[in-house]
Amino acid sequence: MFWDRVAGVYDIFVNVINAKVHRELCEKVAALITADDEVLECACGTGMLSAHIAPECKSLVATDFSSGMLKRARAKCRKYANVEFKLANISALDFADNTFDVVVAGNVIHLLDEPEAALGELNRVCKIGGKLIIPTYMNKRARDGTSGFIKALGKAGADFKKQFTFSSYKRFFADAGYTDAAYTMIEGRVPCAIAVLIKR
């Protein structure tokens, strides 16, 4: 699996190549978490967001499809006793309905064959009135097309199924019924937009 192969070097992208975006992303996501929240994080990767969510919440279940990524995330978060790591498929979550106060899925929606199905699963396991926090990398180009950086990632094996612009990202959630979502755009080398949805 591509993500198992790159787990050891992924933090170079996080901490060096796109450091400004990721610092701001971690701060903004952590600010959305409260001390009483039971949080599910899908596609936790090497634990970039996990390490910022854990000190803010009551409990965190951090999941990923890659065992290599989970190994690094566990090491990064070993000082937090309120974190549990699990191998999981974002499109078929093994959790009961209405389990979590907050569900986070960072930088994964654009990689999925069926992002609508994954969104349905995230919504299912979130409590009524709970938050879905979904940051996703944006394509800098306003028109259709692929940025050079995304092309390079694709050649390396990171297959972007969708290349969202800020407007098409908002449209994706509106089409799924989230017409009152809140959005934040973080500019940088690889920009990232954060969508915050409330489960009704």
Side-chain angles (χ1 to χ4, degrees), residues 10 12-14 16-19 22 110 137-141 145-158 160 163 188-191:
Y10 185 77
I12 295 172
F13 171 66
V14 170
V16 180
I17 297 172
N18 212 34
H22 292 131
H110 59 288
Y137 295 127
M138 297 288 105
N139 192 342
K140 278 187 175 182
R141 297 177 60 167
T146 304
S147 71
F149 190 79
I150 289 175
K151 283 181 180 177
L153 288 175
K155 287 179 181 177
F160 282 51
Q163 294 166 31
R189 180 162 187 187
V190 184

Side-chain angles (χ1 to χ4, degrees), residues 166 169-171 173-174 178 181-185 193-197:
F166 194 36
Y169 195 52
K170 291 190 284 187
R171 189 165 59 249
F173 290 110
Y178 299 97
Y183 300 93
T184 301
M185 184 69 174
I194 305 171
V196 181
L197 322 173

Side-chain angles (χ1 to χ4, degrees), residues 83-177:
V83 184
E84 177 184 3
F85 289 94
K86 290 186 175 183
L87 198 66
N89 181 348
I90 190 174
S91 297
L93 296 170
D94 189 22
F95 301 104
D97 296 356
N98 307 307
T99 298
F100 298 95
D101 300 294
V102 178
V103 178
V104 180
N107 302 320
V108 66
I109 290 292
H110 59 288
L111 300 172
L112 303 175
D113 288 314
E114 297 181 339
E116 297 84 0
L119 181 58
E121 276 291 271
L122 300 176
N123 184 79
R124 180 184 66 77
V125 301
C126 187
K127 293 178 182 177
I128 302 293
K131 286 186 290 232
L132 305 172
I133 304 171
I134 308 179
T136 299
Y137 295 127
M138 297 288 105
N139 192 342
K140 278 187 175 182
R141 297 177 60 167
R143 299 180 182 275
D144 290 340
T146 304
S147 71
F149 190 79
I150 289 175
K151 283 181 180 177
L153 288 175
K155 287 179 181 177
D159 188 8
F160 282 51
K161 306 295 185 182
K162 290 192 178 287
Q163 294 166 31
F164 291 106
T165 61
F166 194 36
S167 60
S168 69
Y169 195 52
K170 291 190 284 187
R171 189 165 59 249
F172 169 76
F173 290 110
D175 289 346

Side-chain angles (χ1 to χ4, degrees), residues 3-98:
W3 298 107
D4 283 337
R5 295 199 309 272
V6 302
V9 297
Y10 185 77
D11 282 342
I12 295 172
F13 171 66
V14 170
N15 298 323
V16 180
I17 297 172
N18 212 34
K20 173 189 172 293
V21 168
H22 292 131
R23 278 195 304 270
E24 191 171 342
L25 171 60
C26 289
E27 290 170 4
K28 290 185 180 300
V29 170
L32 294 167
I33 308 298
T34 67
D36 293 328
D37 284 336
E38 295 181 329
V39 182
L40 171 67
E41 183 187 3
C42 294
C44 70
T46 61
M48 174 187 73
L49 287 174
S50 313
H52 288 80
I53 293 170
E56 305 298 330
C57 69
K58 179 179 179 181
S59 64
L60 170 63
V61 179
T63 70
D64 201 278
F65 195 59
S66 163
S67 57
M69 290 285 190
L70 284 174
K71 181 178 179 181
R72 294 188 66 83
R74 282 191 188 96
K76 194 173 292 183
C77 296
R78 60 183 174 270
K79 67 180 178 180
Y80 300 114
N82 63 335
V83 184
E84 177 184 3
F85 289 94
K86 290 186 175 183
L87 198 66
N89 181 348
I90 190 174
S91 297
L93 296 170
D94 189 22
F95 301 104
D97 296 356
N98 307 307

